[in-house]
Amino acid sequence: MGCGSSKVQSEVSMKGYVSVVQSLVAFTKARSDDNEPRKHPEVQSGCWFRTALQLESNGRERPVRDGRHRVKSDRYKDRFDSRVTARYDIKALVGRGSFSRVVRVEHRATRRPFAIKMMEVLAPEAREVCASELAVLQRVNHSNVIQMIEVFQFPQRVYMVLELATGGELLDRVISRGHFTERDATRALRMVLAGVGYLHSLGITHRDLKPDNLLYYHPGADSRLLVTDFGLATFGGVTAGIGPGDKESDSGWPLRTTCGTLEYMAPEVLLRKPYSSSVDMWALGAIAYVVLSGSLPFEDDSRTRLYRSIMRGKYRFHGEPWPSVSNLAKDFIQRLLFLDPATRLTADQAVHHPWVATMAASSSMRNLHRSISQNLRKQRSRSSTQCPSRTRSSADRSSSVSNGLMRPPSSVTGEHLESHQQKM
């Protein structure tokens, strides 16, 4: 399987996009002495990443070895504007991407830990990437969605201050628990659905939901689970029934960009049809499948066969632990993985599905942990020895960090799709 990369333009709300881009361009043309940091109102809760692992929104962040943190942070301290370092003490570099560096910092007055994502915005492409992310982050404020504390904008760089989380990824938590039942799965999925439902209520489609982007705020058992990584998120697609030539109104324009992570990508995206926020619900169906089994519903070493399986919605509840999983849980997954986007559950409907609403009260409390862990280990071992079929877009040139493994990204372009569709 070959690996490649492509640049795919993300859509954002016209109002949000234009205002942020105009702001960034204005800062770029101005002298730095004339600029003051623009601050986002402080909010509570949220996180962006787990320390020293995946941190990105557009270029996937590469981890930095612990022993090099101090050297790396010292090197990048000089790049930080004095008005940023006056408020935050730079502690360690924890990741880097195409246009960005992420460092762990400490607020000088409160001593609270945060993360600062520094983005270079001189290049037009970088400005667009930054504008897309800011347009979304400046709108969100929910306990199950990553929060931005404030933002500093200068001619060459933009600094996003984000809350720091150390609880790890969803699947890492499943493995570390030692005991995992359907009730535990519903508890996690309810938090994810709350976050996704909130995003959809704002007219935001995430477009890259997957376990890697679902992070716990802290290691405790009562930690909130957070939706993160808004590099591909956009305003638009929330109105149902998008057709060729149709236009969105307040939610932006029709979503057409082929982007996301292949194993969680809805068929209509692969088919390059206009699509809606129901692509997020398809991804949640795939996530639920993985959480309950440790396996992907759509997975194949052949990319052509993988495309075919996704576009046909061809998957099975095969192997362990599926015989021990309730029919109600399977029904929940099936209702999210419908080929017809209009028939998929919405986030609100999914929350009220009997399996989720009752927290699997009628399901067996059998421990699924052993089978899930074994399947995850097999999947990760396979992924580490071959070029994965994962897909990102929009300036994703750096290595992808997923579940602790360094993975080079691969992309699905229009040419790739046409080639594979011809084979099918």
Side-chain angles (χ1 to χ4, degrees):
M1 230 178 318
C3 287
S5 63
S6 66
K7 299 179 339 186
V8 182
Q9 177 68 39
S10 298
E11 305 95 338
V12 291
S13 154
M14 178 63 76
K15 292 181 181 179
Y17 178 83
V18 171
S19 63
V20 175
V21 169
Q22 287 177 341
S23 173
L24 291 175
V25 171
F27 272 105
T28 303
K29 293 180 179 179
R31 296 178 57 187
S32 60
D33 291 342
D34 297 329
N35 288 279
E36 294 296 329
R38 294 180 61 191
K39 299 176 183 177
H40 184 66
E42 293 215 7
V43 293
Q44 295 181 351
S45 78
C47 80
W48 190 243
F49 55 82
R50 60 176 188 166
T51 304
L53 283 180
Q54 161 187 332
L55 316 169
E56 178 57 350
S57 335
N58 281 289
R60 306 297 288 176
E61 304 292 354
R62 297 196 295 266
V64 180
R65 303 297 181 188
D66 291 344
R68 298 165 60 193
H69 276 185
R70 178 54 57 188
V71 175
K72 291 288 186 180
S73 64
D74 289 343
R75 180 186 304 175
Y76 290 106
K77 274 184 181 180
D78 294 338
R79 290 189 176 187
F80 278 71
D81 189 277
S82 60
R83 283 164 284 190
V84 178
T85 55
R87 290 172 61 85
Y88 297 94
D89 184 22
I90 312 301
K91 292 296 184 180
L93 176 73
V94 291
R96 57 185 180 270
S98 301
F99 305 119
S100 62
R101 299 291 184 270
V102 180
V103 297
R104 178 169 54 84
V105 302
E106 192 174 79
H107 192 277
R108 292 186 181 276
T110 65
R111 312 316 300 177
R112 288 183 60 191
F114 293 99
I116 289 184
K117 179 176 180 180
M118 177 184 70
M119 296 193 71
E120 307 284 349
V121 294
L122 281 179
E125 183 181 20
R127 281 201 299 273
E128 292 180 1
V129 167
C130 184
S132 174
E133 185 175 351
L134 280 176
V136 172
L137 288 178
Q138 289 177 328
R139 286 288 306 277
V140 298
N141 183 8
H142 188 274
S143 60
N144 295 115
V145 178
I146 178 61
Q147 303 292 301
M148 182 169 67
I149 304 303
E150 60 179 332
V151 57
F152 299 84
Q153 296 182 6
F154 301 106
Q156 296 183 355
R157 300 182 182 93
V158 171
Y159 304 85
M160 302 181 202
V161 182
L162 308 157
E163 285 197 296
L164 179 68
T166 57
E169 296 175 5
L170 171 58
L171 294 183
D172 289 337
R173 180 67 65 96
V174 172
I175 292 175
S176 66
R177 287 175 62 94
H179 188 272
F180 194 79
T181 66
E182 286 188 36
R183 175 162 294 183
D184 296 319
T186 60
R187 185 177 295 111
L189 290 170
R190 287 177 74 168
M191 290 189 281
V192 178
L193 287 167
V196 172
Y198 169 76
L199 294 174
H200 290 180
S201 73
L202 294 181
I204 298 170
T205 301
H206 188 282
R207 302 199 295 184
D208 197 25
L209 291 174
K210 55 186 175 181
D212 308 30
N213 292 338
L214 303 175
L215 308 179
Y216 283 95
Y217 181 59
H218 62 73
D222 61 342
S223 174
R224 292 172 289 110
L225 185 57
L226 305 163
V227 178
T228 72
D229 194 338
F230 288 89
L232 300 182
T234 180
F235 288 89
V238 174
T239 302
I242 299 175
D246 292 344
K247 290 186 178 181
E248 297 290 339
S249 54
D250 293 337
S251 295
W253 47 79
L255 307 183
R256 301 175 184 272
T257 299
T258 302
C259 62
T261 299
L262 183 56
E263 289 86 348
Y264 300 89
M265 194 182 295
E268 58 268 28
V269 180
L270 279 178
L271 290 169
R272 303 168 69 190
K273 296 180 178 180
Y275 57 88
S276 72
S277 59
S278 61
V279 300
D280 286 346
M281 304 313 298
W282 173 280
L284 282 173
I287 290 169
Y289 188 104
V290 174
V291 168
L292 285 169
S293 68
S295 302
L296 288 160
F298 306 101
E299 186 173 30
D300 201 296
D301 292 340
S302 164
R303 181 169 293 190
T304 298
R305 289 196 298 267
L306 178 58
Y307 284 0
R308 185 184 298 121
S309 296
I310 295 173
M311 288 189 283
R312 294 178 179 176
K314 186 179 179 181
Y315 66 95
R316 297 185 301 165
F317 297 111
H318 176 71
E320 291 294 337
W322 288 115
S324 303
V325 175
S326 69
N327 289 332
L328 208 53
K330 295 173 184 176
D331 179 76
F332 175 77
I333 294 172
Q334 290 169 333
R335 290 178 181 274
L336 291 172
L337 294 180
F338 279 137
L339 280 177
D340 182 2
T343 61
R344 289 175 205 150
L345 296 177
T346 65
D348 183 63
Q349 291 170 341
V351 168
H352 291 93
H353 184 278
W355 183 67
V356 176
T358 64
M359 295 187 68
S362 62
S363 302
S364 166
M365 289 296 104
R366 178 172 175 177
N367 185 9
L368 307 175
H369 180 268
R370 182 174 181 178
S371 296
I372 294 173
S373 297
Q374 288 177 345
N375 290 336
L376 282 174
R377 280 196 295 269
K378 291 177 183 177
Q379 190 270 330
R380 291 179 181 180
S381 175
R382 183 165 57 250
S383 297
S384 65
T385 58
Q386 64 186 19
C387 173
S389 56
R390 293 172 178 267
T391 303
R392 283 282 297 188
S393 68
S394 193
D396 182 8
R397 300 189 190 91
S398 59
S399 294
S400 172
V401 182
S402 175
N403 298 321
L405 295 174
M406 291 292 297
R407 299 177 179 177
S410 62
S411 298
V412 175
T413 64
E415 292 77 9
H416 286 148
L417 285 175
E418 290 174 355
S419 173
H420 284 284
Q421 288 169 4
Q422 288 173 359
K423 294 178 182 179
M424 290 184 273

